[in-house]
Amino acid sequence: MTDRQPRDLPLDAHLHTDMSPDSDVAIDTYATAALERGIAEIAITDHVDFEPGAPAFAYASFADRERIVRGAAERWAPRGVEIRFGVELTYDRAWEADVRDHLARHPYDFTIGSVHDRVESPYNPRRVAAWVAGRSLADIVAPSFDEVVAAARSGLFDAIGHIDGVKRYLFPHVTPAVLATAPELYEPILRALVESGTALEVNTSGLRYSIREAFPHPAIVARFHELGGRAVTVGSDAHRAEQFASGLADGYAIAADAGFTELTFRRGPGAARAHVPLARDGATEGR
């Protein structure tokens, strides 16, 4: 990772506040950091889960989240920080109808659909070693990758988050280097994104973990572009104040090196997609 605290970049599209069960950050803390570092626009994408027993199931109401984010947006816009009301919705085919109903009733500026561990996930630390043992790589990742494909094909989301986030939970039983030997496993995901027009997220949180690799690997982002993908976002997926914009310059560089010149981002419910240049004021991709 080249820059843990980048400056003068246009957008961090994935941030969690204390309205998510796994974050303790007040929204104004992120806004202050954005102002200090010249990050012009941020998306607050707190978790919403649909599986009973999951951490963000009924954790915070839509009304409370919207009130807090819209209020902060009004306070900070005059100071040069644009704040968007987004959401990260946990996706699984078992509750796709619930996700669809939620989005029909609740308007967001920007939506991320992500596959996370189910309550009884095979990737739970207590189960993952047994899950990996004796299985092919394709079978190991299938429970996660199959759901990511379905999320992309659902047409429900602006972007799909951390498409191979499972590699964090597989480590060290399956390393990123091993997964990189089978790029064909990503093809159904990438084709589903291309065909649905859903954006691929370059999520830089993996650079903070032991795997030291973005979600997904740069070669997968390049393959997405090669297949005809034209919509990409970049987010730090911060859950702590010190993680704000962490690795963001690297994420921008990954997208640029893959052939992208802009990010695709929605700034309001039902609004047309905005195209955000990968660099501000002539800077070179944050590097």
Side-chain angles (χ1 to χ4, degrees), residues 1 18 24 29 36 41 48 84 93 101 112 121-122 139 146 164 171 192 201 210 216 220 231 259-260 285:
M1 186 158 60
D18 52 12
D24 60 358
T29 299
E36 291 173 350
E41 189 170 13
V48 173
R84 308 300 176 186
R93 282 168 290 185
D101 177 68
I112 300 172
S121 169
D139 287 343
D146 289 352
D164 58 352
F171 185 85
E201 180 192 63
S210 298
I220 301 302
F260 292 94
E285 288 80 50

Side-chain angles (χ1 to χ4, degrees), residues 4 58 76 140 142 158 178:
R4 291 182 180 273
W76 285 93
I140 288 168
D158 293 312
V178 170

Side-chain angles (χ1 to χ4, degrees), residues 2-257:
T2 61
D3 190 355
R4 291 182 180 273
Q5 295 189 333
R7 302 187 64 86
D8 299 322
L9 292 172
L11 173 68
D12 188 338
H14 193 154
L15 297 167
H16 295 277
T17 73
D18 52 12
M19 299 298 280
S20 288
D22 53 357
S23 176
D24 60 358
V25 187
I27 191 170
D28 286 339
T29 299
Y30 285 140
T32 299
L35 181 64
E36 291 173 350
R37 293 198 227 153
I39 308 297
E41 189 170 13
I42 61 176
I44 304 302
T45 53
D46 284 310
H47 290 292
V48 173
D49 289 340
F50 297 89
E51 181 184 17
F57 181 79
Y59 182 77
S61 72
F62 174 86
D64 285 344
R65 289 182 290 110
E66 182 178 40
R67 172 179 52 79
I68 289 170
V69 176
R70 299 290 188 206
E74 291 183 7
R75 293 195 303 275
W76 285 93
R79 303 181 67 180
V81 177
E82 299 293 334
I83 301 176
R84 308 300 176 186
F85 178 45
V87 65
E88 183 181 19
L89 302 132
T90 297
Y91 177 88
D92 188 288
R93 282 168 290 185
W95 53 79
E96 180 175 314
D98 297 315
V99 178
R100 193 174 298 277
D101 177 68
H102 179 88
L103 290 174
R105 292 185 293 110
H106 300 310
Y108 293 94
D109 296 344
F110 177 69
T111 60
I112 300 172
S114 296
V115 173
H116 296 113
D117 281 352
R118 296 191 64 148
V119 173
E120 297 298 325
S121 169
Y123 308 116
N124 183 286
R126 298 189 306 275
R127 304 184 188 96
V128 66
W131 174 255
V132 168
R135 284 184 167 85
S136 69
L137 188 57
D139 287 343
I140 288 168
V141 301
S144 178
F145 277 26
D146 289 352
E147 293 299 335
V148 176
V149 170
R153 292 205 178 282
S154 73
L156 290 169
F157 310 108
D158 293 312
I160 303 299
H162 47 66
I163 63 169
D164 58 352
V166 69
K167 68 189 177 188
R168 174 188 173 191
Y169 304 107
L170 291 172
F171 185 85
H173 309 285
V174 176
T175 66
V178 170
L179 193 55
T181 66
E184 68 277 5
L185 296 178
Y186 288 83
E187 289 286 303
I189 295 174
L190 301 182
R191 292 183 185 280
L193 290 168
V194 171
E195 291 166 12
S196 66
T198 307
L200 168 71
E201 180 192 63
V202 179
N203 183 302
T204 63
S205 66
L207 297 168
R208 304 192 294 267
Y209 302 132
S210 298
I211 59 172
R212 300 295 180 189
E213 187 175 289
F215 304 118
H217 185 278
I220 301 302
V221 183
R223 178 59 177 160
F224 174 61
H225 188 272
E226 182 180 285
L227 288 171
R230 293 297 177 263
V232 67
T233 67
V234 179
S236 66
D237 199 356
H239 288 70
R240 300 289 179 266
E242 65 273 14
Q243 296 171 353
F244 173 74
S246 176
L248 204 63
D250 298 83
Y252 276 60
I254 289 168
D257 290 345

